[in-house]
Amino acid sequence: MSKRKSLTQYLIEQQRGDAQLPPQLRLLIEVVARACKGIAISVNKGALGDVLGTAGSENVQGEVQKKLDIIANEVLIEANEWGGHLAGMASEEMDDMHAVPLHYPQGEYLLLFDPLDGSSNIDVNVSIGTIFSVLKHKGGEVSNDSFLQAGTEQVCAGYCVYGPQTTLVLTVGHGVAMFTLDREQGSFVQTADNVQIPADTKEFAINMSNLRHWDAPVKRYIDECLQGKEGPRGKDFNMRWIASMVADVHRIMTRGGIFMYPWDKREPTKPGKLRLMYEANPMSFLIEQAGGASTNGKQRIMEIQPGQLHERVSVVMGSKNEVERVTQYHLEG
Ligand code: P6P
């Protein structure tokens, strides 16, 4: 087998190739990847590192913060604020954006992240991950409003899943590549390129306990999957739900499937549970770059114009033909 590429080599080739990756963006990706290695070390310590359990505080979402949520957030902030590549950062764990301190040079990028997604799984040793999205600062003083750009404006997106392997999945708009952390070298090594999601699947991911709360098109879609071979789909389906978006989406990036967190009537005024800016948009960029589709059930997620930093959205993403079927059912009402 030919020698595998390091993340650095891959990024330098993207800089020279069609992507024409700007050096500041290459630096940003290398810094985020290094931060993810640091987060992986803390995550992997578990009970040995006094990093489990809650931190005794709540985030802007009103969710109890885990110690590792805060550790991961701090690792990403500290790693990125001095490099001169960023104008500001926004995080699920912070009410407002974090401007680069004035004693550091400002850059042209805006970094958004969910520092540790799926944190309800931390204490039970189930895969979790970091999700990140990169936008360009359009100029002027950096504020929360600077970040309110549609997902189509993203110049880079990725996640790092902390599971049996620590794997970084990345797009800069020219396909999707995967890098696995080689712990002996301490560096990410390329393990997949030009990732493609099959257009069809027999596997759906949704939290079935919410069934009674869904609207009719989602109930219809899931009911037909459950009818299997005898029903209108003419094939049996399997179900997976890890309750960690990074892990569920990584499975879909690896073998196809459909991931759904739809609107439900428990909180009728909220469009959904998941966050648009630092969960749904970066995952949508990756999914679309791998040939999949991503909507809120009705429209392309990446075309939604955000109104506020922590906006939520309904999510239907993965194998193209399945996502389009759900959209069709919404059109039929
Ligand atoms: P539920 C994790 O808290 C998260 O934001 C996503 O990673 C995950 O897909 C979803 O919530 C799980 O939600 O309601 O099944 O616990």
Side-chain angles (χ1 to χ4, degrees):
M1 173 187 297
S2 61
K3 185 176 176 305
R4 293 184 186 279
K5 288 178 190 169
S6 67
L7 174 63
T8 301
Q9 183 179 352
Y10 172 84
L11 292 174
I12 286 172
E13 289 177 358
Q14 291 295 312
Q15 202 172 322
R16 290 186 194 131
D18 299 345
Q20 289 295 300
L21 191 68
Q24 288 284 341
L25 183 53
R26 178 163 75 85
L27 171 63
L28 187 161
I29 295 167
E30 300 239 50
V31 168
V32 169
R34 199 171 304 121
C36 288
K37 281 194 284 188
I39 294 167
I41 290 166
S42 294
V43 165
N44 292 157
K45 280 179 182 162
L48 299 177
D50 186 29
V51 295
L52 300 184
T54 60
S57 52
E58 282 190 354
N59 62 17
V60 65
Q61 334 279 346
E63 294 168 334
V64 172
Q65 289 178 304
K66 300 280 190 171
K67 285 181 189 169
L68 270 171
D69 283 325
I70 294 174
I71 292 168
N73 194 60
E74 286 167 357
V75 166
L76 282 159
I77 296 281
E78 288 160 18
N80 279 286
E81 59 183 2
W82 49 267
H85 51 281
L86 285 186
M89 292 178 253
S91 165
E92 177 180 282
E93 300 305 330
M94 300 188 300
D95 298 6
D96 295 306
M97 56 78 64
H98 175 87
V100 170
L102 293 175
H103 57 277
Y104 290 130
Q106 279 219 351
E108 60 180 321
Y109 295 106
L110 299 169
L111 176 64
L112 303 96
F113 47 83
D114 179 355
L116 205 58
D117 172 71
S119 45
S120 61
N121 283 322
I122 296 171
D123 296 355
V124 295
N125 199 13
V126 169
S127 298
I128 49 185
T130 297
I131 310 171
F132 62 94
S133 170
V134 185
L135 297 166
K136 288 196 76 168
H137 180 41
K138 305 287 190 189
E141 189 178 345
V142 186
S143 68
N144 285 353
D145 289 351
S146 309
F147 291 78
L148 301 186
Q149 301 178 37
T152 47
E153 295 297 306
Q154 293 175 102
V155 293
C156 170
Y159 62 79
C160 189
V161 52
Y162 310 115
Q165 302 98 43
T166 293
T167 300
L168 178 73
V169 180
L170 178 72
T171 185
V172 292
H174 290 263
V176 176
M178 294 186 177
F179 304 84
T180 300
L181 182 60
D182 177 338
R183 292 181 179 281
E184 289 164 11
Q185 294 183 62
S187 58
F188 282 106
V189 176
Q190 187 171 8
T191 44
D193 200 3
N194 191 29
V195 172
Q196 290 297 311
I197 297 172
D200 293 301
T201 183
K202 295 180 178 179
E203 201 159 61
F204 66 88
I206 195 166
N207 182 338
M208 286 298 291
S209 69
N210 300 328
L211 186 150
R212 63 189 182 283
H213 304 307
W214 300 330
D215 63 9
V218 172
K219 282 181 179 172
R220 173 184 173 191
Y221 174 76
I222 295 297
D223 180 53
E224 288 181 359
C225 290
L226 295 174
Q227 288 180 53
K229 226 192 291 311
E230 295 72 38
R233 301 303 311 276
K235 59 182 180 179
D236 291 337
F237 280 77
N238 195 17
M239 194 208 96
R240 288 284 183 274
W241 188 249
I242 305 175
S244 181
M245 185 186 197
V246 172
D248 280 313
V249 170
H250 189 66
R251 184 188 57 255
I252 289 166
M253 295 296 288
T254 306
R255 69 184 191 214
I258 183 169
F259 173 92
M260 301 172 76
Y261 211 112
W263 169 92
D264 73 50
K265 63 177 186 247
R266 289 175 295 175
E267 297 190 275
T269 59
K270 281 185 184 171
K273 169 178 184 179
L274 301 181
R275 291 76 175 185
L276 174 62
M277 298 305 295
Y278 39 78
E279 290 176 336
N281 268 341
M283 290 309 202
S284 298
F285 193 14
L286 288 160
I287 291 265
E288 289 195 5
Q289 282 288 311
S294 179
T295 74
N296 62 2
K298 296 169 185 164
Q299 78 171 104
R300 193 176 168 220
I301 281 180
M302 292 216 294
E303 290 177 352
I304 295 172
Q305 179 55 44
Q308 52 109 355
L309 201 50
H310 300 289
E311 183 163 327
R312 293 169 186 259
V313 68
S314 180
V315 173
V316 180
M317 57 171 58
S319 292
K320 193 176 180 65
N321 293 343
E322 292 301 315
V323 174
E324 287 174 356
R325 178 182 289 269
V326 175
T327 306
Q328 183 56 33
Y329 289 2
H330 277 87
L331 290 174
E332 293 168 5

